[in-house]
Amino acid sequence: LGGKKERALPAEKEDIMADDAPDAPPPEEAPEAPKQKMVTMPDGTEMPALADGEYDAIVLGTGLKECIISGILSVDGKKVLHMDRNDYYGGESASVNLNQLFERFGAGAPNPALGSSRDYNIDLAPKFIMANGVLVKMLIMTGVNKYLEFKQVDGSYVVKDGKPNKVPATDTEALATPLVGFFEKRRLRKFVMYVDEYDADKPQTHQGHDLSKVTCQELFGKFGLEKGTIDFIGHSLALYDNDRYLTQPAREMIDRCKLYGESLARYGKSPYLYPLYGLGELPQAFARLAAVYGGTYMLHKPIEKVVYDSDGKAAGVLSVGEDGKPAYAKCGLIVGDPTYFPEKCVATQKVVRCIAILSHPITPGQEASAQIILPQNQIGRTNDIYVFCVSSGHCVAAQGKYVAFVSTVSTRDDFGANLAKAANEELKEGLKLLGKVDSYFFDVYDVREPKADGTADKTFISRSYDPSSHFEKTTEDVMDMYQRIYGRPLDLSKTMVDLTPDDE
């Protein structure tokens, strides 16, 4: 009722308010914002820099081939920017989880009975690794093998008279196999001994055969081999997917047979290896190598345009910066997969594939991982069908589940509106081997390759992944790309990084 009393200020506050109090210091000036780095395009336009703005090489796509090249370039001291429109590594050679697989094919949510999505690592370009093949040499040469774990594939089969038969891996199995007749086994043994002893640099091992001129058919004739044995050698050992090789010089076929034998001898059971957690681990391992040596990675980046200079040579890439606005990076050369350069590529084959999830193994020996080859002559086709299966043992499926792939080259020009029906017809002989299927998907895509070698426009494009069951064609393409970029072959006998004895 008496009103609010005024309270006296404390003495110290009275002093602050006094007329003789010191003046307050002036406010600090805000630091000047860093200027946006600008890069000049070939036409003179100034653009905000994408990442650092200037690179020796820009790589588009994080598929295995592109990651190998990126890693090699980085180790060689090149400044590399590696980009991908996807938000994951691997591109067309990625491994996806169950949810991603169903999303990719527009199939809704997976059945809970299939297990946890994260237990799956399903390959989009399924292949096995030859144990003594070029990819293994590349892994060792670059030191990338230390980032990966591998497990041997349990078995290799080939179909004869409608039944899968194990490809012999020991002398005992060779004597018992029904793939070759009793009297034919002696002739086959002589041929295998010839392959084993053959050395291109030692004419005394050639037995008078000039393999640069003698065709495969002629060489088989000199050993008196029957057609069934020739099929076995050409498709199960040399791993050709058609019979066109028969009219070609025999040197490549002998080299392929030697590779199979050397790979088999390394571990026994089968010549194949497979990485734990799927093939998607391979490009990620090479990407890690590139990053260690200074490579810059940018995922989920749209590639608005590949820019060329007035001479038609690759000059850089137009994308978007962190602020979502156009940004540009210039470079001396560009590497990429065919999906980034559709106008520079041509379709050469059409691949049809089935990806299936099963609750059982598919081979007579009940192996957890295996390959089955259906030679063209056994199924009345112009190309072999490849079937192979992996499981939770390789950390690519839920416990008790198996992932199987059935692939071939198709001669159809058009699969029509009902892709599943047409694909089922193409793969039916291989699908018979799967038995009951929990879930399956069909995929059809073109194998594309560049029209030019890239030396003129400094744009080096890889080939699409073929349907073969191994990586030898893949590494052959990498070797070819390296030679096109550097003008010299890649020497696989030398290591590119410092290795410890354990790495070697």
Side-chain angles (χ1 to χ4, degrees):
L1 290 175
K4 197 171 182 180
K5 290 186 178 179
E6 294 291 332
R7 293 184 61 191
L9 289 170
E12 63 268 21
K13 289 197 175 181
E14 289 182 27
D15 291 340
I16 290 173
M17 299 296 289
D19 291 338
D20 58 351
D23 294 334
E28 292 185 11
E29 293 185 11
E32 187 177 346
K35 291 183 179 180
Q36 169 72 59
K37 182 177 180 179
M38 304 298 286
V39 183
T40 305
M41 295 179 67
D43 63 1
T45 303
E46 291 284 317
M47 291 290 297
L50 177 65
D52 198 42
E54 299 184 36
Y55 295 88
D56 296 315
I58 295 178
V59 182
L60 303 181
T62 53
L64 175 59
K65 299 177 187 181
E66 290 70 39
C67 286
I68 293 175
I69 293 294
S70 178
I72 290 173
L73 289 170
S74 297
V75 172
D76 197 35
K78 301 293 189 292
K79 188 177 179 182
V80 178
L81 173 62
H82 201 148
M83 306 171 66
D84 198 310
R85 64 169 72 95
N86 299 309
D87 59 0
Y88 55 85
Y89 286 96
E92 300 303 306
S93 59
S95 298
V96 298
N97 62 38
L98 197 60
N99 289 338
Q100 290 171 326
L101 180 71
F102 274 68
E103 181 181 343
R104 182 182 181 90
F105 289 98
N111 188 331
L114 296 176
S116 173
S117 172
R118 66 183 182 181
D119 288 338
Y120 287 84
N121 293 286
I122 301 168
D123 302 328
L124 299 181
K127 294 178 185 294
F128 289 145
I129 301 170
M130 299 294 287
N132 205 44
V134 174
L135 182 54
V136 169
K137 294 174 183 176
M138 286 182 174
L139 290 167
I140 295 172
M141 176 191 75
T142 57
V144 169
N145 57 311
K146 64 187 177 184
Y147 301 141
L148 299 160
E149 291 184 73
F150 296 88
K151 193 172 180 180
Q152 189 179 18
V153 174
D154 295 323
S156 182
Y157 287 75
V158 62
V159 168
K160 182 179 181 182
D161 299 329
K163 296 180 180 179
N165 294 276
K166 194 172 187 301
V167 177
T170 65
D171 291 341
T172 302
E173 289 179 353
L175 288 172
T177 182
L179 291 169
V180 181
F182 179 78
F183 294 105
E184 186 73 357
K185 287 176 182 174
R186 182 180 177 185
R187 290 188 284 269
L188 174 60
R189 184 173 182 274
K190 288 179 64 178
F191 177 80
V192 171
M193 290 177 63
Y194 171 75
V195 170
D196 186 52
E197 295 171 1
Y198 181 85
D199 186 328
D201 298 325
K202 296 180 180 179
Q204 65 269 27
T205 66
H206 300 180
Q207 296 185 16
H209 307 312
D210 184 352
L211 299 191
S212 65
K213 297 179 181 179
V214 175
T215 67
C216 296
Q217 188 71 67
E218 290 169 342
L219 185 65
F220 289 143
K222 293 179 185 295
F223 283 87
L225 298 174
E226 297 176 350
K227 190 175 187 317
T229 308
I230 293 172
D231 266 358
F232 169 71
I233 294 170
H235 296 265
S236 303
L237 306 183
L239 298 174
Y240 287 104
D241 72 343
N242 60 67
D243 278 349
R244 288 192 290 272
Y245 79 96
L246 289 170
T247 60
Q248 298 170 356
R251 173 64 189 275
E252 182 188 85
M253 182 269 295
I254 294 297
D255 288 342
R256 282 172 168 243
C257 289
K258 286 180 76 70
L259 171 61
Y260 187 97
E262 291 163 358
S263 297
L264 179 63
R266 291 198 71 169
Y267 302 108
K269 288 200 300 186
S270 87
Y272 305 113
L273 302 175
Y274 187 81
L276 297 186
Y277 304 102
L279 297 179
E281 293 295 295
L282 293 171
Q284 290 191 65
F286 279 100
R288 182 177 177 184
L289 172 71
V292 167
Y293 282 84
T296 299
Y297 277 79
M298 302 181 79
L299 298 181
H300 208 203
K301 278 289 180 183
I303 310 303
E304 302 293 346
K305 185 180 180 181
V306 175
V307 179
Y308 295 86
D309 63 18
S310 58
D311 295 326
K313 295 182 179 179
V317 169
L318 189 63
S319 182
V320 295
E322 295 303 314
D323 57 2
K325 297 179 180 179
Y328 176 72
K330 63 182 182 180
C331 62
L333 64 91
I334 292 179
V335 176
D337 72 53
T339 65
Y340 290 90
F341 304 94
E343 76 287 351
K344 290 181 176 288
C345 297
V346 60
T348 57
Q349 290 180 320
K350 194 177 292 290
V351 173
V352 56
R353 175 174 293 129
C354 176
I355 302 173
I357 300 173
L358 321 171
S359 297
H360 56 83
I362 62 172
T363 57
Q366 300 291 292
E367 288 92 350
S369 58
Q371 173 184 249
I372 305 175
I373 298 174
L374 291 83
Q376 59 171 94
N377 292 325
Q378 293 288 324
I379 53 177
R381 291 183 57 84
T382 54
N383 291 86
D384 294 2
I385 292 179
Y386 293 102
V387 181
F388 68 95
C389 183
V390 285
S391 66
S392 58
H394 284 96
C395 304
V396 296
Q399 193 67 34
K401 298 295 181 181
Y402 299 77
V403 181
F405 306 89
V406 186
S407 307
T408 192
V409 172
S410 174
T411 56
R412 289 176 183 250
D413 293 326
D414 183 13
F415 275 72
N418 193 339
L419 184 147
K421 181 178 179 181
N424 189 79
E425 179 65 24
E426 291 282 299
L427 299 171
K428 62 181 181 182
E429 296 300 325
L431 296 175
K432 290 177 182 177
L433 301 175
L434 301 186
K436 185 180 179 181
V437 174
D438 296 337
S439 191
Y440 64 91
F441 305 92
F442 289 109
D443 190 20
V444 178
Y445 67 90
D446 289 328
V447 174
R448 305 184 67 84
E449 61 182 48
K451 298 175 184 176
D453 65 8
T455 53
D457 61 4
K458 296 300 178 183
T459 305
F460 302 95
I461 307 170
S462 62
R463 301 186 185 95
S464 305
Y465 295 92
D466 65 9
S468 65
S469 62
H470 54 81
F471 277 105
E472 294 312 296
K473 284 292 182 183
T474 300
T475 51
E476 181 182 297
D477 193 24
V478 172
M479 299 284 283
D480 180 58
M481 292 174 71
Y482 180 93
Q483 176 136 9
R484 285 186 275 146
I485 293 169
Y486 280 91
R488 65 177 187 270
L490 177 61
D491 187 354
L492 294 174
S493 66
K494 298 179 179 179
T495 56
M496 298 188 70
V497 298
D498 293 329
L499 299 179
T500 66
D502 289 341
D503 293 328
E504 295 175 341

